[in-house]
Amino acid sequence: MKYNFLSLIFFLVLASVVQAQTINTNPILTSWATDVNSNLPLPEYPRPQMERDSWQNLNGQWEYTILDKGAELPEDFVGKITVPFPVESYLSNVMQSVGAEKELWYQRTFTIENSQRRGRVLLHFGGVDWEAEVFVNGESVGTHQGGYDPFSFDIKDYLQRGKDQEITVRVWDPSDDGPQPRGKQVNQPRGIWYTPVTGIWQTVWLEFVPENFITKVKINPDWDNGSFLVETMAEVGAGEFKVEVRLLEDDELVVQGTLGEELVLTIPNPKSWSPDNPYLYDLEISLKQGNKLIDKVKSYSALRKISIGYDENGMQVMELNGQPLFQYGPLDQGWWPDGLYTAPTDEALLFDIEKTKELGFNMIRKHVKVEPSRWYYHCDRLGMLVWQDMPSGDMGNVWESKPGIYRKGLNRERTSQSEEIFKTEWKAIMDAFHHFPSIVVWVPFNEAWGQFKTKEITEWTQQHDPSRLVNSASGGNFELEGNKLVGDIFDVHNYPDPVMPSPDLFGKVNILTLGEYGGLGLPVENHTWQEKDNWGYQSFKNQEELWKRYQQLIDDLKLLLPKGLAAAVYTQTTDVEVEVNGLMTYDRKVIKFPVEAMRKLHEGLYLKNF
């Protein structure tokens, strides 16, 4: 981050303070905390991009214990934990730290009917931070590393006779003692670094599928041709299989082809998706053998195109569906005072997006965290553009100054193991969330946090998903390739006032953006994580002072648009722990700005494009 003098003083003071407490055992709560059904929290279907009717939610009360790392499968457990809330969180009913020297164990039983055994039985985990080994009836089914990507195991062969079955999960998470992606989690929370998140933090569920079943559907919108390109993957045995894709509208369209073939579904009079008109098409994908229906899933998609265009001065701009669109949104950390990484309810998860939209933003930068699939589904439904960060990890970069070039960091030397962990999880995240049309920008690195091999990672990201733009390093450590920066975007950070990258450097060969700015702070009494020592990049005494300063920031921001600024990100959606920079308080009970006035103020940012 590029700081003003006051911000620099703050961070020098902050660096001298070590906060011993890792768990706040008396946090403020959101209004949704009392709505949580501890026996079945977050009951909604967790994978809206590929939906089946035959499933079973396993959220709720599990047994837990915390043992030394390397301990054997436990026979005794110390209490109950509410899954899927992290063990450190209030809503888990545990609120206990774990650390790198310990492992967290879960166990529960579930009932399965004979009719559910006819095909395969898939055990799904939306997210477990960080390393998870899964046992069914005492036998190890498999191990997964990665705190942000969903995974599953076929457990049919591990089921016993009778209805009652047992699941045990071992979790190890070294937090900031390890090289793995972790975002803003640290063992000693302070400043911009927050409480650790260990264990299961997204929905656990069973899915009952046929012996031959669809494993993945990849839908690419071809906006230029009004088409969807649909590729279906399946696990099948001997025989010939075909795929049928059906568009579920008044005038149904159907296309058939061979399994694994990319099918083209061309739509007469296509409707484009945008923030103003987030139109979604419902699809149904069937696996057939001859004329026999074997498996079927429901999905959806949207026709939209994100691309690079040029303004009247030859500066690069972001275009949505062939039209320039200034993108403006908040930095969104995705943290909750009662659930930490996990929103208390689906209504709570939706609330942040709805309020962001009401305040007049058209984009969200999801900051060094990945959300559950339903969050992106809500963005798709509501018409909210998303910049998706890769969660950072393996910190410790050396910083340098390159006057006038905003190049502030050096690539970090990471071990081969650390590099492989990053690459594996980044690919898994991109694959798992490729489906969601709201995601328009991938951000591999933030401010040189753990940044390594920038050119290699950026170019691989562009090749792996050419349908989106790539912001190689939001706010720092850019690499040159010829006369341009690696990636599509030249992104700087500055607090609190808006600035932009110099158009004289790489302005006509990179999109110019302001990846972070603002951070105006206002602690609201009875709505803070702690009673004192809360902070913002620039603090205010009341909402009137705060609003006046924000209006000045927008006036200054508007001056940059004619010079070629293509997007900006304001810090941030909500307060988070000791940070009070939010548009809302951490408990979401107070919106600090006048909603309608802010929405009208933001409208002026988009007028130059139309």
Side-chain angles (χ1 to χ4, degrees), residues 81-95:
I81 183 171
T82 304
V83 169
F85 298 106
V87 67
E88 297 90 348
S89 72
Y90 170 88
L91 289 173
S92 72
N93 292 316
V94 177
M95 300 185 74

Side-chain angles (χ1 to χ4, degrees), residues 129 214 250 374 453 469 574:
D129 197 2
I214 297 168
D250 292 337
R374 291 193 62 85
K453 295 184 178 178
L469 302 178
T574 72

Side-chain angles (χ1 to χ4, degrees), residues 56-201:
Q56 180 180 335
N57 195 315
L58 295 181
N59 292 343
Q61 296 302 294
W62 293 50
E63 302 283 342
Y64 88 95
T65 191
I66 299 172
L67 302 176
D68 290 337
K69 190 175 186 296
E72 297 294 322
L73 197 73
E75 296 182 0
D76 299 314
F77 291 79
V78 300
K80 299 282 188 180
I81 183 171
T82 304
V83 169
F85 298 106
V87 67
E88 297 90 348
S89 72
Y90 170 88
L91 289 173
S92 72
N93 292 316
V94 177
M95 300 185 74
Q96 187 172 341
S97 60
V98 181
E101 304 304 317
K102 302 283 186 178
E103 289 174 328
L104 171 62
W105 290 83
Y106 298 83
Q107 191 172 94
R108 69 157 289 167
T109 59
F110 68 95
T111 299
I112 184 168
E113 303 295 335
N114 288 334
S115 61
Q116 295 170 323
R117 297 170 177 259
R118 292 172 183 167
R120 311 306 300 176
V121 180
L122 307 181
L123 174 59
H124 292 274
F125 294 83
V128 183
D129 197 2
W130 172 71
E131 178 184 272
E133 183 176 10
V134 179
F135 303 80
V136 174
N137 296 319
E139 294 189 58
S140 179
V141 174
T143 300
H144 176 268
Q145 290 184 338
Y148 301 94
D149 58 303
F151 62 96
S152 63
F153 298 109
D154 182 350
I155 64 171
K156 180 176 181 179
D157 295 340
Y158 298 86
L159 300 176
Q160 296 178 346
R161 297 184 65 180
K163 293 183 178 182
D164 292 336
Q165 313 293 327
E166 183 182 79
I167 299 173
T168 308
V169 182
R170 174 192 62 81
V171 178
W172 176 63
D173 180 18
S175 190
D176 55 330
D177 289 329
Q180 81 291 344
R182 59 176 171 83
K184 289 199 168 186
Q185 304 175 55
V186 293
N187 289 310
Q188 296 176 329
R190 60 200 182 277
I192 66 170
W193 309 103
Y194 314 141
T195 302
V197 171
T198 302
I200 299 170
W201 67 277

Side-chain angles (χ1 to χ4, degrees), residues 317-330:
V317 297
M318 292 184 182
E319 289 189 341
L320 182 68
N321 305 330
Q323 295 293 324
L325 177 64
F326 184 78
Q327 296 188 24
Y328 184 56

